[in-house]
PDB file of all heavy atoms in Angstrom:
ATOM      1  N   HIS A 420     -39.748 -10.469  30.426  1.00 94.00           N
ATOM      2  CA  HIS A 420     -40.245 -11.800  30.786  1.00 94.00           C
ATOM      3  C   HIS A 420     -41.389 -11.694  31.790  1.00 94.00           C
ATOM      4  O   HIS A 420     -42.393 -12.418  31.685  1.00 94.00           O
ATOM      5  CB  HIS A 420     -39.106 -12.645  31.363  1.00 94.00           C
ATOM      6  CG  HIS A 420     -39.490 -14.065  31.660  1.00 94.00           C
ATOM      7  ND1 HIS A 420     -40.017 -14.442  32.877  1.00 94.00           N
ATOM      8  CD2 HIS A 420     -39.446 -15.183  30.899  1.00 94.00           C
ATOM      9  CE1 HIS A 420     -40.269 -15.740  32.853  1.00 94.00           C
ATOM     10  NE2 HIS A 420     -39.942 -16.214  31.675  1.00 94.00           N
ATOM     11  N   ASP A 421     -41.271 -10.786  32.759  1.00 94.00           N
ATOM     12  CA  ASP A 421     -42.349 -10.569  33.724  1.00 94.00           C
ATOM     13  C   ASP A 421     -43.629 -10.143  33.010  1.00 94.00           C
ATOM     14  O   ASP A 421     -44.717 -10.649  33.295  1.00 94.00           O
ATOM     15  CB  ASP A 421     -41.951  -9.492  34.742  1.00 94.00           C
ATOM     16  CG  ASP A 421     -40.936  -9.995  35.753  1.00 94.00           C
ATOM     17  OD1 ASP A 421     -40.752 -11.222  35.848  1.00 94.00           O
ATOM     18  OD2 ASP A 421     -40.311  -9.159  36.437  1.00 94.00           O
ATOM     19  N   PHE A 422     -43.476  -9.209  32.071  1.00 95.00           N
ATOM     20  CA  PHE A 422     -44.629  -8.711  31.316  1.00 95.00           C
ATOM     21  C   PHE A 422     -45.283  -9.846  30.528  1.00 95.00           C
ATOM     22  O   PHE A 422     -46.518  -9.959  30.489  1.00 95.00           O
ATOM     23  CB  PHE A 422     -44.194  -7.589  30.369  1.00 95.00           C
ATOM     24  CG  PHE A 422     -45.322  -6.986  29.576  1.00 95.00           C
ATOM     25  CD1 PHE A 422     -46.130  -6.008  30.123  1.00 95.00           C
ATOM     26  CD2 PHE A 422     -45.583  -7.411  28.276  1.00 95.00           C
ATOM     27  CE1 PHE A 422     -47.186  -5.461  29.397  1.00 95.00           C
ATOM     28  CE2 PHE A 422     -46.620  -6.868  27.541  1.00 95.00           C
ATOM     29  CZ  PHE A 422     -47.424  -5.884  28.104  1.00 95.00           C
ATOM     30  N   LEU A 423     -44.473 -10.685  29.895  1.00 93.00           N
ATOM     31  CA  LEU A 423     -45.012 -11.798  29.110  1.00 93.00           C
ATOM     32  C   LEU A 423     -45.759 -12.778  30.001  1.00 93.00           C
ATOM     33  O   LEU A 423     -46.781 -13.350  29.603  1.00 93.00           O
ATOM     34  CB  LEU A 423     -43.886 -12.519  28.372  1.00 93.00           C
ATOM     35  CG  LEU A 423     -43.122 -11.708  27.323  1.00 93.00           C
ATOM     36  CD1 LEU A 423     -42.031 -12.552  26.690  1.00 93.00           C
ATOM     37  CD2 LEU A 423     -44.073 -11.186  26.251  1.00 93.00           C
ATOM     38  N   THR A 424     -45.253 -12.985  31.216  1.00 93.00           N
ATOM     39  CA  THR A 424     -45.931 -13.879  32.163  1.00 93.00           C
ATOM     40  C   THR A 424     -47.299 -13.314  32.528  1.00 93.00           C
ATOM     41  O   THR A 424     -48.298 -14.042  32.561  1.00 93.00           O
ATOM     42  CB  THR A 424     -45.086 -14.048  33.435  1.00 93.00           C
ATOM     43  OG1 THR A 424     -43.813 -14.601  33.088  1.00 93.00           O
ATOM     44  CG2 THR A 424     -45.781 -14.969  34.439  1.00 93.00           C
ATOM     45  N   TRP A 425     -47.366 -12.016  32.780  1.00 95.00           N
ATOM     46  CA  TRP A 425     -48.634 -11.374  33.165  1.00 95.00           C
ATOM     47  C   TRP A 425     -49.634 -11.376  32.013  1.00 95.00           C
ATOM     48  O   TRP A 425     -50.834 -11.551  32.230  1.00 95.00           O
ATOM     49  CB  TRP A 425     -48.379  -9.947  33.634  1.00 95.00           C
ATOM     50  CG  TRP A 425     -47.491  -9.853  34.841  1.00 95.00           C
ATOM     51  CD1 TRP A 425     -47.345 -10.807  35.813  1.00 95.00           C
ATOM     52  CD2 TRP A 425     -46.619  -8.782  35.204  1.00 95.00           C
ATOM     53  NE1 TRP A 425     -46.438 -10.389  36.757  1.00 95.00           N
ATOM     54  CE2 TRP A 425     -45.973  -9.150  36.416  1.00 95.00           C
ATOM     55  CE3 TRP A 425     -46.321  -7.541  34.636  1.00 95.00           C
ATOM     56  CZ2 TRP A 425     -45.057  -8.316  37.054  1.00 95.00           C
ATOM     57  CZ3 TRP A 425     -45.404  -6.714  35.271  1.00 95.00           C
ATOM     58  CH2 TRP A 425     -44.781  -7.099  36.469  1.00 95.00           C
ATOM     59  N   LYS A 426     -49.150 -11.189  30.802  1.00 93.00           N
ATOM     60  CA  LYS A 426     -50.078 -11.080  29.666  1.00 93.00           C
ATOM     61  C   LYS A 426     -50.675 -12.433  29.276  1.00 93.00           C
ATOM     62  O   LYS A 426     -51.681 -12.486  28.561  1.00 93.00           O
ATOM     63  CB  LYS A 426     -49.380 -10.441  28.460  1.00 93.00           C
ATOM     64  CG  LYS A 426     -48.690 -11.378  27.491  1.00 93.00           C
ATOM     65  CD  LYS A 426     -47.991 -10.627  26.400  1.00 93.00           C
ATOM     66  CE  LYS A 426     -47.459 -11.555  25.306  1.00 93.00           C
ATOM     67  NZ  LYS A 426     -48.478 -12.008  24.373  1.00 93.00           N
ATOM     68  N   GLN A 427     -50.094 -13.510  29.754  1.00 92.00           N
ATOM     69  CA  GLN A 427     -50.599 -14.837  29.415  1.00 92.00           C
ATOM     70  C   GLN A 427     -51.749 -15.286  30.320  1.00 92.00           C
ATOM     71  O   GLN A 427     -52.354 -16.331  30.089  1.00 92.00           O
ATOM     72  CB  GLN A 427     -49.464 -15.860  29.486  1.00 92.00           C
ATOM     73  CG  GLN A 427     -48.449 -15.695  28.365  1.00 92.00           C
ATOM     74  CD  GLN A 427     -47.202 -16.536  28.555  1.00 92.00           C
ATOM     75  OE1 GLN A 427     -47.080 -17.253  29.554  1.00 92.00           O
ATOM     76  NE2 GLN A 427     -46.276 -16.450  27.620  1.00 92.00           N
ATOM     77  N   VAL A 428     -52.056 -14.482  31.331  1.00 94.00           N
ATOM     78  CA  VAL A 428     -53.154 -14.830  32.241  1.00 94.00           C
ATOM     79  C   VAL A 428     -54.479 -14.807  31.484  1.00 94.00           C
ATOM     80  O   VAL A 428     -54.783 -13.859  30.766  1.00 94.00           O
ATOM     81  CB  VAL A 428     -53.211 -13.842  33.431  1.00 94.00           C
ATOM     82  CG1 VAL A 428     -54.451 -14.101  34.288  1.00 94.00           C
ATOM     83  CG2 VAL A 428     -51.953 -13.961  34.273  1.00 94.00           C
ATOM     84  N   GLU A 429     -55.245 -15.860  31.658  1.00 93.00           N
ATOM     85  CA  GLU A 429     -56.550 -15.940  31.000  1.00 93.00           C
ATOM     86  C   GLU A 429     -57.551 -15.080  31.770  1.00 93.00           C
ATOM     87  O   GLU A 429     -57.660 -15.184  32.996  1.00 93.00           O
ATOM     88  CB  GLU A 429     -57.019 -17.388  30.959  1.00 93.00           C
ATOM     89  CG  GLU A 429     -58.320 -17.580  30.211  1.00 93.00           C
ATOM     90  CD  GLU A 429     -58.719 -19.037  30.118  1.00 93.00           C
ATOM     91  OE1 GLU A 429     -57.877 -19.909  30.412  1.00 93.00           O
ATOM     92  OE2 GLU A 429     -59.888 -19.306  29.753  1.00 93.00           O
ATOM     93  N   CYS A 430     -58.269 -14.239  31.065  1.00 95.00           N
ATOM     94  CA  CYS A 430     -59.218 -13.339  31.721  1.00 95.00           C
ATOM     95  C   CYS A 430     -60.343 -14.146  32.371  1.00 95.00           C
ATOM     96  O   CYS A 430     -61.018 -14.932  31.707  1.00 95.00           O
ATOM     97  CB  CYS A 430     -59.795 -12.338  30.729  1.00 95.00           C
ATOM     98  SG  CYS A 430     -60.850 -11.098  31.534  1.00 95.00           S
ATOM     99  N   PRO A 431     -60.565 -13.967  33.678  1.00 96.00           N
ATOM    100  CA  PRO A 431     -61.594 -14.746  34.373  1.00 96.00           C
ATOM    101  C   PRO A 431     -62.995 -14.151  34.248  1.00 96.00           C
ATOM    102  O   PRO A 431     -63.964 -14.737  34.714  1.00 96.00           O
ATOM    103  CB  PRO A 431     -61.130 -14.688  35.833  1.00 96.00           C
ATOM    104  CG  PRO A 431     -60.452 -13.360  35.939  1.00 96.00           C
ATOM    105  CD  PRO A 431     -59.797 -13.108  34.602  1.00 96.00           C
ATOM    106  N   PHE A 432     -63.098 -12.986  33.602  1.00 97.00           N
ATOM    107  CA  PHE A 432     -64.390 -12.299  33.502  1.00 97.00           C
ATOM    108  C   PHE A 432     -65.028 -12.543  32.135  1.00 97.00           C
ATOM    109  O   PHE A 432     -64.351 -12.511  31.116  1.00 97.00           O
ATOM    110  CB  PHE A 432     -64.214 -10.797  33.728  1.00 97.00           C
ATOM    111  CG  PHE A 432     -63.375 -10.460  34.936  1.00 97.00           C
ATOM    112  CD1 PHE A 432     -62.216  -9.702  34.799  1.00 97.00           C
ATOM    113  CD2 PHE A 432     -63.723 -10.918  36.194  1.00 97.00           C
ATOM    114  CE1 PHE A 432     -61.424  -9.401  35.893  1.00 97.00           C
ATOM    115  CE2 PHE A 432     -62.946 -10.625  37.303  1.00 97.00           C
ATOM    116  CZ  PHE A 432     -61.787  -9.863  37.153  1.00 97.00           C
ATOM    117  N   GLU A 433     -66.326 -12.757  32.150  1.00 96.00           N
ATOM    118  CA  GLU A 433     -67.046 -12.944  30.890  1.00 96.00           C
ATOM    119  C   GLU A 433     -67.194 -11.611  30.163  1.00 96.00           C
ATOM    120  O   GLU A 433     -67.367 -10.571  30.783  1.00 96.00           O
ATOM    121  CB  GLU A 433     -68.426 -13.551  31.152  1.00 96.00           C
ATOM    122  CG  GLU A 433     -68.385 -14.987  31.632  1.00 96.00           C
ATOM    123  CD  GLU A 433     -69.777 -15.591  31.720  1.00 96.00           C
ATOM    124  OE1 GLU A 433     -70.717 -14.988  31.159  1.00 96.00           O
ATOM    125  OE2 GLU A 433     -69.919 -16.651  32.346  1.00 96.00           O
ATOM    126  N   LYS A 434     -67.126 -11.676  28.853  1.00 97.00           N
ATOM    127  CA  LYS A 434     -67.237 -10.464  28.053  1.00 97.00           C
ATOM    128  C   LYS A 434     -68.675  -9.970  28.024  1.00 97.00           C
ATOM    129  O   LYS A 434     -69.598 -10.733  27.747  1.00 97.00           O
ATOM    130  CB  LYS A 434     -66.757 -10.738  26.625  1.00 97.00           C
ATOM    131  CG  LYS A 434     -66.828  -9.530  25.701  1.00 97.00           C
ATOM    132  CD  LYS A 434     -66.263  -9.871  24.331  1.00 97.00           C
ATOM    133  CE  LYS A 434     -66.306  -8.663  23.401  1.00 97.00           C
ATOM    134  NZ  LYS A 434     -65.715  -8.975  22.072  1.00 97.00           N
ATOM    135  N   ASP A 435     -68.864  -8.683  28.325  1.00 97.00           N
ATOM    136  CA  ASP A 435     -70.160  -8.037  28.191  1.00 97.00           C
ATOM    137  C   ASP A 435     -70.099  -7.171  26.933  1.00 97.00           C
ATOM    138  O   ASP A 435     -69.504  -6.093  26.940  1.00 97.00           O
ATOM    139  CB  ASP A 435     -70.480  -7.180  29.418  1.00 97.00           C
ATOM    140  CG  ASP A 435     -71.905  -6.645  29.412  1.00 97.00           C
ATOM    141  OD1 ASP A 435     -72.307  -6.056  28.389  1.00 97.00           O
ATOM    142  OD2 ASP A 435     -72.596  -6.790  30.430  1.00 97.00           O
TER     143      ASP A 435
END
Side-chain angles (χ1 to χ4, degrees):
H420 185 271
D421 286 345
F422 182 83
L423 296 179
T424 300
W425 299 333
K426 90 183 188 78
Q427 290 170 359
V428 173
E429 184 177 347
C430 186
F432 312 122
E433 291 187 14
K434 180 177 181 178
D435 188 309

